[in-house]
Amino acid sequence: MNDNILKQIIANKQIEIANQEKAVPISFLENIVNDTKPAYSLKQYLQTSPTGIIAEFKRRSPSKGWICQYADASNIPASYQQAGAAALSILTDETYFGGNVKDICIARPNVSLPILRKDFIFSRYQLLQTKAIHADAVLLIAAMLTPQTCRTLAHYAHELHLEVLLELHNEQELDYLNEYIDVIGINNRDLKTFHTDVGHSLRLAEQLPQDIIRISESGISTPNVIRKLREAGFNGFLIGETFMKTTNPGETLKQFIQDIAL
């Protein structure tokens, strides 16, 4: 995997968003969004969920290629809810992950769980998009932002009543924490090389604020890993490929949850 993959993704995303702005001007989004609070709080659901699993809907990844090319957003997220997911993550990047903002629009009427829009967010326009498609929370990735830009985006997300999941990967990124962050996510995957190591979450656990909801992302494939992460203080676990690579993601999640309880 090319160690400049994150730079490639960001460069492509800037072009993609510029084209979307031409098709749907920011003024249009400003006129259609409202300031109502989201119906579902990612933070609260993770605090009360017995599983803590954020089940992810994605069709492909830069490292694995197509995982489930024809995955249907109208039924898989709903099957996740039926299986016991705490929340949902939906990839909306098209070029590298095979997603689309329409996937959230399609999933939303069929589920009553928090939906995290997972994408490479760097602009106010994308936050307005996120609100317009009725997602409840947005991902901000420290590795692609400056601390000040991160704070500005998180502040504006709160003005739109969107919750913010800040994704970190190493100790240096702890400086990105600010008062507008609702949930911290530790990505076990290095976005520069796409190498995965769950040890990242375990190593950073003691350095995270004790009073904030924390989740571990990527590389979680067995119930035993969940148990170790819970012991380290993690409230949530973002898992996608483990479920999406099977013929019935919802059933796989259901069995996974049963295995955790054993």
Side-chain angles (χ1 to χ4, degrees), residues 16-75:
E16 180 184 307
I17 296 303
N19 289 334
Q20 289 177 10
E21 284 197 61
K22 291 177 183 177
V24 181
I26 193 169
S27 57
F28 176 81
L29 293 178
E30 290 171 334
N31 287 331
I32 66 169
V33 302
N34 56 53
D35 62 357
T36 56
K37 293 183 178 179
Y40 311 101
S41 165
L42 177 64
K43 180 178 178 179
Q44 291 178 5
Y45 272 62
L46 288 174
Q47 285 175 319
T48 58
S49 168
T51 72
I53 293 178
I54 304 173
E56 187 161 88
F57 178 86
K58 69 175 178 181
R59 297 186 179 91
R60 74 184 304 269
S61 77
S63 58
K64 299 293 178 66
W66 288 107
I67 300 166
C68 188
Q69 185 170 358
Y70 302 106
D72 188 349
S74 68
N75 60 48

Side-chain angles (χ1 to χ4, degrees), residues 73-85:
S74 68
N75 60 48
I76 291 177
S79 74
Y80 280 154
Q81 175 170 325
Q82 293 165 4

Side-chain angles (χ1 to χ4, degrees), residues 1-10 61-64 96 189-195:
M1 177 59 62
N2 190 322
D3 64 2
N4 287 319
I5 186 65
L6 182 59
K7 292 180 181 179
Q8 294 174 20
I9 291 174
I10 294 170
S61 77
S63 58
K64 299 293 178 66
Y96 293 90
R189 177 173 288 117
D190 187 326
L191 290 177
K192 294 182 174 132
T193 64
F194 270 66
H195 173 72

Side-chain angles (χ1 to χ4, degrees), residues 19-250:
N19 289 334
Q20 289 177 10
E21 284 197 61
K22 291 177 183 177
V24 181
I26 193 169
S27 57
F28 176 81
L29 293 178
E30 290 171 334
N31 287 331
I32 66 169
V33 302
N34 56 53
D35 62 357
T36 56
K37 293 183 178 179
Y40 311 101
S41 165
L42 177 64
K43 180 178 178 179
Q44 291 178 5
Y45 272 62
L46 288 174
Q47 285 175 319
T48 58
S49 168
T51 72
I53 293 178
I54 304 173
E56 187 161 88
F57 178 86
K58 69 175 178 181
R59 297 186 179 91
R60 74 184 304 269
S61 77
S63 58
K64 299 293 178 66
W66 288 107
I67 300 166
C68 188
Q69 185 170 358
Y70 302 106
D72 188 349
S74 68
N75 60 48
I76 291 177
S79 74
Y80 280 154
Q81 175 170 325
Q82 293 165 4
L88 305 169
S89 170
I90 298 182
L91 263 298
T92 58
D93 176 80
E94 187 165 358
T95 303
Y96 293 90
F97 290 89
N100 194 291
V101 292
K102 292 178 182 177
D103 289 330
I104 293 180
C105 297
I106 292 169
R108 177 80 279 173
N110 302 316
V111 297
S112 52
L113 287 177
I115 294 179
L116 167 71
R117 180 191 180 185
K118 195 173 181 189
D119 209 322
F120 299 87
I121 304 294
F122 61 86
S123 70
R124 180 171 174 268
Y125 182 86
Q126 290 166 288
L127 295 177
L128 284 164
Q129 269 187 333
T130 304
K131 183 69 173 181
I133 60 178
H134 302 292
D136 304 287
V138 64
L139 176 73
L140 294 182
I141 302 172
M144 60 173 286
L145 302 170
T146 66
Q148 183 55 52
T149 301
C150 178
R151 187 181 185 280
T152 299
L153 290 172
H155 183 195
Y156 187 60
H158 271 209
E159 289 184 346
L160 292 172
H161 295 293
L162 293 167
E163 290 188 343
V164 178
L165 166 58
L166 174 63
E167 179 178 291
L168 310 176
H169 181 68
N170 54 47
E171 293 87 346
Q172 292 73 31
E173 293 172 350
L174 291 169
D175 291 341
Y176 284 73
L177 284 169
N178 61 69
E179 65 269 38
Y180 304 112
I181 302 304
D182 300 289
V183 181
I184 296 175
I186 303 301
N187 194 345
N188 300 310
R189 177 173 288 117
D190 187 326
L191 290 177
K192 294 182 174 132
T193 64
F194 270 66
H195 173 72
T196 301
D197 175 12
V198 176
H200 279 296
S201 287
L202 299 174
R203 286 189 289 272
L204 282 175
E206 294 183 0
Q207 300 183 52
L208 300 177
Q210 293 301 308
D211 59 346
I212 194 166
I213 297 296
R214 64 194 54 189
I215 71 169
S216 180
E217 311 170 28
S218 303
I220 303 170
S221 57
T222 67
N224 191 46
V225 172
I226 296 276
R227 297 185 192 105
K228 288 182 180 178
L229 290 166
R230 279 181 174 168
E231 289 175 3
F234 284 86
N235 313 89
F237 319 94
L238 195 151
I239 308 174
E241 185 182 331
T242 296
F243 307 138
M244 291 297 299
K245 68 183 181 181
T246 66
T247 55
N248 191 326

